[in-house]
């Protein structure tokens, strides 16, 4: 007899225009049979879900310029997560395996193929499973390739990281310090600014919300100019950075979180600085660099175990808290990587 379980899910009600609100999402609970997957498929029990900035982009109407498809209204939202295989018809995955990758925002997910899943290699007291939503998952690899591959850093260079307290920014700053760079980050609260300096080892940090003129703030932090900018924000911040960049500076464009809720995006007015200063600015996405994951994993696990890198998570309990937590990512309410722990007892 097929076992029946409650499957709680988060659905997108309709495409989002402007600010994301809880009314744009719906939580549904329904009885579902724990069906044996088709050949090649997997049945997953989701343990942790990851909220990332790009989720908001996928809630908008389809746009040919986006690198990820929009969600379909009325369907379950998907995201990165950590899961356990509870049934498998795939030769490479077995019942009990722990995996990370794309899954549904729900308690249980039936996947026709495990193409977007990676088996979890390390699980011990120093490596929480939730780390595979962040430092050892997509955000971690994004920070690693963005800084080391796109920015081509050299010891002693000056590095600026916007949204430095986010899942990616906190790692970029620490990678830069390990390279021997001078690092400054910005965040949106006094608490986060202090943590950037005292917990993550940034040389300096500032609260961008308290600065009347971002160009002046950056000049104060970088009197000799910026060599590397890790771009997470866009808009006014990018304009101020361009004025403060050094000749032959490099900018890695990871995200533009200040723009995702806007119906009309901010323009950038100082682009001519890219010509006069011979700046190289390059966008990138993590899927293009997944071949680097094994070397990244070994390096960062070693850093964690040696205490060379620390990581902060903001964990909420239960799928009911997930919509509010996602909205908080865009107002800066989260303190660290936003993670949802699935409670299978509710």
């Amino acid at each position: 007899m097929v076992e029946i379980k409650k499957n709680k899910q988060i659905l997108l009600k309709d495409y989002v225009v402007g600010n994301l609100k809880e009314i744009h999402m719906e939580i549904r609970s329904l009885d579902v049979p724990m069906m044996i997957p088709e050949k090649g498929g997997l049945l997953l029990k989701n343990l942790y879900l990851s909220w990332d900035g790009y989720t908001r982009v996928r809630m908008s109407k389809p746009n040919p310029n986006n690198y990820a498809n929009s969600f379909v209204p009325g369907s379950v939202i998907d995201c990165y997560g950590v899961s356990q295989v509870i049934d498998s018809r795939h030769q490479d995955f077995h019942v009990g395996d722990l995996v990370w990758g794309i899954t549904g925002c729900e308690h249980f997910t039936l996947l026709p193929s495990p193409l977007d899943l990676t088996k979890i290699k390390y699980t011990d007291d120093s490596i929480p499973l939730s780390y595979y939503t962040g430092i050892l998952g997509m955000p971690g690899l994004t920070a690693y390739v963005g800084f080391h591959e796109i920015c081509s850093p050299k010891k002693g260079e000056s590095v600026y990281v916007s949204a430095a307290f986010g899942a990616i920014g906190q790692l970029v700053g620490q990678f830069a310090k390990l390279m021997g760079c001078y690092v400054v980050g910005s965040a949106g609260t006094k608490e986060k600014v202090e943590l950037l300096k005292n917990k993550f080892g940034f040389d300096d940090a500032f609260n961008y919300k308290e600065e009347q003129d971002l160009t002046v703030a950056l000049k104060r932090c970088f009197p000799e100019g910026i060599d590397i900018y890790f771009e997470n924000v866009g808009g006014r911040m990018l304009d101020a950075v361009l004025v403060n960049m050094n000749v032959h500076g490099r900018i890695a464009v990871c995200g533009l979180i200040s723009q995702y809720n806007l119906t009309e995006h901010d323009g950038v007015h100082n682009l001519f600085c890219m010509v006069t200063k011979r700046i190289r600015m390059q966008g990138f996405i993590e899927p293009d660099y997944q071949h680097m994951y094994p070397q990244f994993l070994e390096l960062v696990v070693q850093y964690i175990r040696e205490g060379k890198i620390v990581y902060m998570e903001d964990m909420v309990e239960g799928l009911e808290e997930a919509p509010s937590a996602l909205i908080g990512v865009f107002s800066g309410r989260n303190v660290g990587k936003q993670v949802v722990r699935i409670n299978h007892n509710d």
Side-chain angles (χ1 to χ4, degrees):
M1 187 172 181
V2 177
E3 184 181 9
I4 303 295
K5 289 193 175 182
K6 284 239 180 260
N7 193 24
K8 196 170 288 186
Q9 306 171 314
I10 300 179
L11 288 74
L12 178 68
K13 292 178 72 173
D14 200 356
Y15 291 126
V16 179
V17 178
N19 290 328
L20 176 64
K21 301 176 182 177
E22 290 194 45
I23 59 171
H24 293 123
M25 293 169 275
E26 175 186 354
I27 296 179
R28 177 177 70 182
S29 185
L30 66 165
D31 293 330
V32 294
M34 296 290 98
M35 299 292 291
I36 296 174
E38 297 291 330
K39 186 176 181 180
L42 302 175
L43 181 60
L44 302 178
K45 178 182 179 178
N46 297 319
L47 307 176
Y48 297 94
L49 303 178
S50 171
W51 280 145
D52 300 288
Y54 89 105
T55 305
R56 170 63 185 85
V57 178
R58 298 187 65 196
M59 291 177 160
S60 298
K61 291 182 179 180
N63 182 334
N65 292 320
N66 288 343
Y67 65 88
N69 294 330
S70 293
F71 300 128
V72 177
S75 66
V76 176
I77 295 169
D78 64 47
C79 64
Y80 283 91
V82 172
S83 313
Q84 185 174 41
V85 177
I86 57 174
D87 205 347
S88 173
R89 295 287 302 279
H90 193 284
Q91 62 182 5
D92 296 332
F93 292 85
H94 305 95
V95 173
D97 283 349
L98 293 167
V99 297
W100 74 269
I102 299 292
T103 188
C105 291
E106 55 188 347
H107 283 204
F108 301 96
T109 297
L110 186 64
L111 290 180
S113 168
L115 289 177
D116 293 319
L117 294 182
T118 300
K119 279 189 182 182
I120 289 176
K121 184 176 180 180
Y122 297 106
T123 56
D124 55 47
D125 291 343
S126 63
I127 311 291
L129 273 179
S130 58
Y131 273 19
Y132 289 90
T133 67
I135 185 172
L136 296 179
M138 180 275 291
L141 182 57
T142 300
Y144 177 81
V145 299
F147 181 65
H148 288 289
E149 298 296 312
I150 306 300
C151 293
S152 304
K154 302 180 186 67
K155 182 178 180 180
E157 289 192 309
S158 296
V159 178
Y160 173 52
V161 185
S162 58
F165 206 85
I168 295 170
Q170 59 176 283
L171 292 173
V172 173
Q174 293 179 85
F175 288 145
K177 287 303 300 177
L178 287 166
M179 277 285 299
C181 296
Y182 174 79
V183 184
V184 177
S186 57
T189 69
K190 181 179 179 181
E191 175 193 9
K192 292 179 180 180
V193 166
E194 291 305 311
L195 284 166
L196 285 173
K197 294 186 288 186
N198 299 325
K199 185 177 182 66
F200 298 123
F202 283 58
D203 294 289
D204 201 356
F206 64 92
N207 183 348
Y208 69 91
K209 293 180 181 178
E210 295 180 347
E211 301 291 343
Q212 293 185 345
D213 189 324
L214 291 173
T215 301
V216 172
L218 290 170
K219 182 66 176 176
R220 182 182 70 240
C221 294
F222 296 97
E224 303 300 321
I226 301 168
D227 298 305
I228 290 173
Y229 173 44
F230 199 95
E231 166 68 299
N232 291 308
V233 172
R236 294 189 309 121
M237 186 65 78
L238 177 57
D239 247 352
V241 167
L242 287 169
V243 174
N244 282 280
M245 289 294 292
N246 285 331
V247 172
H248 298 303
R250 286 88 70 205
I251 301 175
V253 184
C254 175
L256 303 169
I257 197 166
S258 73
Q259 306 298 295
Y260 295 159
N261 276 327
L262 301 182
T263 54
E264 293 187 15
H265 294 168
D266 293 332
V268 179
H269 306 283
N270 293 322
L271 284 175
F272 192 60
C273 291
M274 294 186 63
V275 178
T276 59
K277 300 183 179 188
R278 287 82 85 196
I279 297 167
R280 175 167 58 85
M281 182 162 66
Q282 180 179 340
F284 72 102
I285 56 174
E286 175 265 352
D288 292 344
Y289 295 89
Q290 285 182 346
H291 63 281
M292 297 183 66
Y293 183 74
Q295 72 184 65
F296 154 79
L297 178 67
E298 299 302 322
L299 177 66
V300 176
V301 164
Q302 181 179 343
Y303 281 160
I304 293 171
R305 288 176 172 165
E306 293 175 352
K308 292 181 177 178
I309 279 186
V310 295
Y311 200 62
M312 280 191 69
E313 298 175 312
D314 190 325
M315 187 88 66
V316 298
E317 183 82 27
L319 214 60
E320 297 85 354
E321 302 300 321
S324 174
L326 177 59
I327 292 167
V329 170
F330 301 97
S331 65
R333 190 172 68 223
N334 56 304
V335 181
K337 172 74 183 85
Q338 187 64 72
V339 183
V340 179
R341 181 192 287 121
I342 300 297
N343 183 357
H344 284 275
N345 296 319
D346 60 5

